[in-house]
Amino acid sequence: MIANVIANILEKGKTALVASQKKAALDVLKKRLGKISKFVFFAQNSDMSKREFYEPLQDFISTFENYRRDITEKIYSKPLMSKEEFQML
């Protein structure tokens, strides 16, 4: 159920925060999200040092920014219509 809610939130371009006292719950959530789990940042240890927290967060942000750039390039690199469609106009 939570994985479905998160998937719908991501699909709408929104963000959400999910917290759990149990690491196992976050592990299950990550598994259920499957391929889209790359769009979710999991910080699973409250005893993390700042470095242990921020390094994966930086990687996550970098991955997400590159993904958005790749999608934008794919959208704008394709012509809106083929030559045949243009000639029909």
Side-chain angles (χ1 to χ4, degrees):
M1 172 97 168
I2 294 172
N4 292 342
V5 171
I6 291 173
N8 284 321
I9 289 169
L10 292 174
E11 190 271 329
K12 294 178 191 296
K14 305 292 183 180
T15 60
L17 172 68
V18 178
S20 174
Q21 290 180 335
K22 308 283 184 186
K23 182 182 179 302
L26 295 175
D27 290 339
V28 169
L29 181 58
K30 188 173 187 175
K31 182 178 179 181
R32 288 191 181 165
L33 286 172
K35 291 181 181 181
I36 66 170
S37 68
K38 67 183 175 185
F39 299 106
V40 179
F41 177 69
F42 291 90
Q44 300 182 346
N45 187 347
S46 62
D47 297 329
M48 296 174 128
S49 69
K50 286 183 180 180
R51 178 172 290 227
E52 290 171 325
F53 176 80
Y54 284 111
E55 283 181 356
L57 180 59
Q58 185 176 2
D59 291 342
F60 171 77
I61 291 169
S62 176
T63 299
F64 184 69
E65 287 175 344
N66 289 333
Y67 177 81
R68 291 184 69 172
R69 188 175 305 117
D70 291 346
I71 292 298
T72 302
E73 288 173 0
K74 286 179 184 176
I75 290 171
Y76 291 110
S77 67
K78 294 180 182 177
L80 295 176
M81 62 179 76
S82 69
K83 289 181 181 180
E84 293 81 22
E85 291 170 325
F86 183 74
Q87 289 172 351
M88 286 184 192
L89 295 175

